[in-house]
Amino acid sequence: MLKIAQIQFNPKLGDCDFNLEKITTFLKMASNSDLIVLPELANSGYKFDNIDHAKSIANTKSCINYYRFLANFSKDNNVSIVSGYLEKDGDDLYNSSLYVSPNGIFGKYRKIHLFMDEKNIFKPGNLGLPLFSIKNYKFGILICFDYLFPEIWRIMGLKGADFIVHPSNLITQNAYKVVPAQAIMNGYYVITSNRIGTEGDITFCGNSFVSDTRGNIISEMEGNTEGVKFTTINPLLSRNKMITTGNHIFDDRLPDNYEELLDYKA
Ligand code: ACM
């Protein structure tokens, strides 16, 4: 069993000091868990004016030190954490998520599918679709709009993910339909941690949720409140891929029929 704590909150665009203080408060409330999941770009906010604006935020001390801050909290409180964050690597920016755990394990995923103006700011992720471990379980990370691309859900399932962690800044309700469907199709849990608040002309819709391996929403936060929500999942259920007594969702695939997929490149 794994006790998950989701943090839903309203970061302030560009004010990493303020955000880290707020995140610290919520991390303390969430620390009695195995894994804490924060939203996308939790340390920086989302709607940058342009790439120079994003770079100026990425260059602030508290933004640069976010990894160390999370790693220290993880070690001091014996809890693992996944958080979306603004990553600067050389001259490039990535919309990334960090995984830190008390034993020093560290992982990173960079968002592959960029949404709207993100294309003017970030490079698409170039670290593939890694799986990470916690206890004896394996999980993958997708970030927000990545959810719309079924191929990556499938790859993570075939690699053996027991659950997917999904830090988000969602602004439409589409994910609430797609994510549970992907949970059914791949037989794993999905943990979507979303933010709230408004930046410029966009409003984030909260409703952080957990889908079980059969697409049932087993936990959901409200649309416009900050807080922490605990949910215990049993990732071993993800190892049962029988959807009926006669159907295994992975073994029943017939990939010879899917080869055409590779012909369709944008
Ligand atoms: C999104 O990918 N932040 C909608």
Side-chain angles (χ1 to χ4, degrees), residues 30-67:
S31 62
N32 181 21
S33 62
D34 298 304
L35 177 64
I36 302 173
V37 184
L38 286 132
E40 177 182 13
L41 294 171
N43 66 334
S44 62
Y46 180 78
K47 185 93 177 72
F48 310 109
D49 297 339
N50 51 46
I51 191 166
D52 291 335
H53 181 216
K55 279 187 182 170
S56 70
I57 297 167
N59 281 329
T60 60
K61 203 163 152 219
S62 51
C63 195
I64 291 166
N65 287 335
Y66 192 56
Y67 160 63

Side-chain angles (χ1 to χ4, degrees), residues 1-4 6 162-163 176 179-180 183 188-192 207-221 229-235 237-238:
M1 304 295 269
L2 207 61
K3 187 172 175 186
I4 307 290
Q6 289 172 281
D162 294 312
F163 62 97
Y176 303 94
V179 168
Y188 47 40
Y189 287 89
V190 186
I191 297 138
T192 298
N207 290 129
S208 297
F209 65 102
V210 177
S211 174
D212 75 6
T213 63
R214 293 295 178 258
N216 303 300
I217 306 294
I218 54 170
S219 175
E220 185 170 359
M221 299 180 78
K229 178 110 181 173
F230 295 97
T231 310
T232 297
I233 65 172
N234 179 4
L237 293 179
S238 304

Side-chain angles (χ1 to χ4, degrees), residues 40 46 95 111 113-115 118 143-147 168-172 204:
E40 177 182 13
Y46 180 78
N95 182 337
K111 184 178 187 178
H113 302 95
L114 300 174
F115 183 69
E118 290 176 37
I143 300 177
C144 204
F145 188 58
D146 277 330
Y147 79 83
S168 293
N169 280 186
L170 293 163
I171 60 174
T172 74
F204 306 96

